[in-house]
Amino acid sequence: MEDPWGTALALFQVWISVLLCLVMLPAMFGLSLGVTGVYIQILVQILEWATLRIQRGRKEKPSVPIPLPNGIIHRDGGSMAQEILEVRGSRPGGDFTLGDVFYFHKKGMESLVDDQVTQCFSSEELASWNLLTRTNQNFRYISLRLTLIWGVGVFVRYCVLFPLRITLAAISFTWLVISTTLVGFLPETRICARGLSATIRYHNKENRPKHGGICVANHTTPIDIVILANDRCYAMVGQVHGGLMGVIQRSMVRSCPHVWFERTEMKDRNTVTNRLREHVACEDKLPILIFPEGTCINNTSVMMFKKGSFEIGGTIYPVAIKYDPRFGDAFWNSAKYNMVSYLLRTMTSWAIVVNVWYLPPMTRLDQEDASQFAQRVKSAIALKGGLIDMAWDGGLKRARVKDSLKEEQQKMYSSMILGPDGPGDLADTPPLLDLQD
């Protein structure tokens, strides 16, 4: 009778050997066997077939409900100032009438039901089902073949991909902590990326951040750091933590001059600015990686950049990051999922497919202040990544609206009501908000 423990040990040895030879060693030397590319192509073919089958199934079974989009209110493009001008321009005189109140009432109700800030913190809407139950629970009942494909997908994601990713992630983080003296020679971040089944396409590598600079990027998920560090080493900025995170931070400091702050230091703006300015002044140190939004946005938009990163001086290296939502939702909704739940969802998705664009370096112009420079960099990132450039502060996700913002909105409404003949020209209406003070 065979020993079950011996059989299990033998299977485990085979599993580790396969990972070592086919994944870890190629990843350490920046090589790829092409398996991930083939896997992504197969996924694309399956999802395209599923989309066609769903479209045909809707015609055959119209009773199958269609999922609602994130934004349940359709909004036309353009500002409120432009819209009210069009409304007034359609009548003689173009002056304010009592009927204009209904327009403002409509806009107010829209904002209460579905405001633009909340939309940026919910998962990105999918054009079609990607065979993940969490994105829709109805389409798999359209046909038997679609149900079978969905069932096979569940088995592959939870019984094959998930154990593979968990093993690779555990090995990579253990390796990071233990072999601190070899971190500079063994780029473990590549193994971390493989642990997420990440397929990363880097564009315009000639613009990669250089020593003594500041890299700023839009922020969708904590794994943005892994995605960027897979192609270039960076100095991280953050608060000192305890526990497991503290162990990782201390091991990282041994191999790279990261900038960690104590909790009391993080509250002191001057202390943070001076520490960062000292780091940038040394051209031998790695570029600092900063996410100026300060929170994760849902892969559709870029929200306001805090101006602190742009007051330090030096060269700014913008980077645009865009995830492909067809293969999985990379956005971390921290209000809904903790880190463990998020990693579980990520590791049981099909894959992480992401494009990274390195933009040409930018410097602050003589006539620009830090806020204007931050806005210019943000707009460039949004344009390159195909993201919506939004003026709202991501801090509104957790904080109350400032009095300065309320006053700005009151001035804007006053200007629209009084019209061009009032104290302010409607065409010169100030921006919708400015929270950078």
Side-chain angles (χ1 to χ4, degrees):
M1 184 175 180
E2 296 184 0
D3 181 12
W5 290 106
T7 303
L9 180 60
L11 292 175
F12 179 75
Q13 291 174 342
V14 171
W15 175 255
I16 296 297
S17 300
V18 170
L19 290 183
L20 179 65
C21 297
L22 299 182
V23 180
M24 294 174 60
L25 288 178
M28 285 191 303
F29 294 100
L31 302 176
S32 175
L33 301 180
V35 177
T36 303
V38 174
Y39 168 69
I40 295 298
Q41 291 298 321
I42 294 174
L43 273 181
V44 169
Q45 296 295 326
I46 293 176
L47 295 179
E48 288 179 351
W49 170 84
T51 300
L52 295 175
R53 186 65 189 86
I54 289 169
Q55 292 174 350
R56 192 171 71 224
R58 283 177 177 171
K59 298 178 181 178
E60 298 172 354
K61 298 181 179 180
S63 60
V64 176
I66 300 175
L68 287 174
N70 291 337
I72 61 176
I73 296 177
H74 174 72
R75 290 186 175 90
D76 297 325
S79 66
M80 291 178 60
Q82 293 172 339
E83 292 180 9
I84 196 64
L85 277 177
E86 293 174 359
V87 171
R88 291 178 179 174
S90 63
R91 59 175 180 258
D95 296 327
F96 174 81
T97 64
L98 190 59
D100 290 344
V101 173
F102 293 102
Y103 169 79
F104 293 111
H105 177 74
K106 170 179 172 290
K107 287 295 182 180
M109 293 301 295
E110 286 181 355
S111 297
L112 287 174
V113 174
D114 188 31
D115 65 274
Q116 291 179 330
V117 173
T118 304
Q119 290 180 19
C120 293
F121 298 107
S122 58
S123 295
E124 183 179 3
E125 177 189 352
L126 296 178
S128 62
W129 187 39
N130 60 354
L131 300 180
L132 296 177
T133 308
R134 66 189 67 139
T135 54
N136 190 275
Q137 301 188 17
N138 299 308
F139 285 152
R140 69 175 184 272
Y141 299 114
I142 289 178
S143 70
L144 178 60
R145 283 188 296 175
L146 197 62
T147 303
L148 291 176
I149 292 294
W150 170 79
V152 172
V154 172
F155 175 80
V156 170
R157 288 187 291 110
Y158 282 89
C159 299
V160 179
L161 296 179
F162 182 59
L164 172 66
R165 293 164 179 170
I166 283 290
T167 305
L168 289 175
I171 292 175
S172 64
F173 283 114
T174 303
W175 198 334
L176 171 65
V177 174
I178 295 178
S179 50
T180 54
T181 57
L182 300 178
V183 169
F185 304 97
L186 300 178
E188 76 296 321
T189 50
R190 298 183 183 273
I191 305 176
C192 291
R194 298 295 172 89
L196 297 169
S197 291
T199 299
I200 314 168
R201 301 184 182 93
Y202 298 98
H203 308 275
N204 309 114
K205 286 192 174 184
E206 67 275 9
N207 296 326
R208 280 189 299 186
K210 295 180 174 57
H211 284 67
I214 302 174
C215 174
V216 298
N218 58 299
H219 198 24
T220 304
T221 164
I223 65 176
D224 288 336
I225 298 174
V226 177
I227 297 300
L228 294 178
N230 189 62
D231 190 52
R232 176 71 165 94
C233 292
Y234 295 92
M236 307 299 175
V237 178
Q239 181 177 302
V240 175
H241 292 274
L244 178 60
M245 183 61 68
V247 174
I248 296 176
Q249 283 183 327
R250 289 190 293 272
S251 65
M252 292 173 66
V253 168
R254 296 190 187 101
S255 60
C256 177
H258 299 285
V259 185
W260 303 127
F261 296 94
E262 297 291 343
R263 184 180 298 273
T264 54
E265 293 179 319
M266 288 292 289
K267 298 179 180 179
D268 189 340
R269 185 185 184 90
N270 292 330
T271 300
V272 174
T273 302
N274 292 335
R275 287 276 301 277
L276 295 179
R277 188 174 286 120
E278 291 174 1
H279 184 101
V280 173
C282 183
E283 296 183 356
D284 296 333
K285 292 186 177 180
L286 293 174
I288 297 176
L289 176 58
I290 298 177
F291 300 103
E293 290 169 297
T295 188
C296 294
I297 314 298
N298 72 346
N299 196 44
T300 64
S301 311
V302 183
M303 303 191 77
M304 191 193 77
F305 278 8
K306 305 295 191 300
K307 67 178 182 180
S309 309
F310 303 88
E311 294 176 323
I312 300 171
T315 303
I316 297 292
Y317 293 89
V319 176
I321 307 174
K322 176 66 176 179
Y323 292 86
D324 193 329
R326 292 178 297 173
F327 307 101
D329 184 15
F331 168 58
W332 180 36
N333 188 348
S334 58
K336 189 175 182 181
Y337 304 105
N338 58 33
M339 180 58 71
V340 175
S341 300
Y342 169 74
L343 291 176
L344 177 63
R345 291 169 61 85
T346 302
M347 290 188 175
T348 55
S349 296
W350 292 115
I352 297 296
V353 180
V354 57
N355 284 280
V356 176
W357 291 274
Y358 296 110
L359 278 67
M362 303 174 68
T363 55
R364 182 172 166 180
L365 303 178
D366 293 337
Q367 67 274 20
E368 280 185 323
D369 58 24
S371 299
Q372 293 170 334
F373 184 28
Q375 174 62 34
R376 183 160 62 92
V377 173
K378 177 173 73 74
S379 298
I381 291 176
L383 180 62
K384 192 65 176 181
L387 303 165
I388 301 173
D389 186 1
M390 302 194 67
W392 297 102
D393 183 3
L396 292 175
K397 177 182 180 181
R398 301 180 180 88
R400 294 176 61 87
V401 179
K402 293 183 179 180
D403 292 337
S404 59
L405 174 58
K406 296 179 182 178
E407 294 174 0
E408 198 66 41
Q409 298 296 297
Q410 291 168 355
K411 293 178 182 178
M412 184 191 69
Y413 277 101
S414 175
S415 176
M416 285 190 289
I417 292 173
L418 294 175
D421 297 331
D425 189 348
L426 193 58
D428 297 328
T429 301
L432 188 58
L433 69 154
D434 184 10
L435 295 183
Q436 306 213 41
D437 54 354

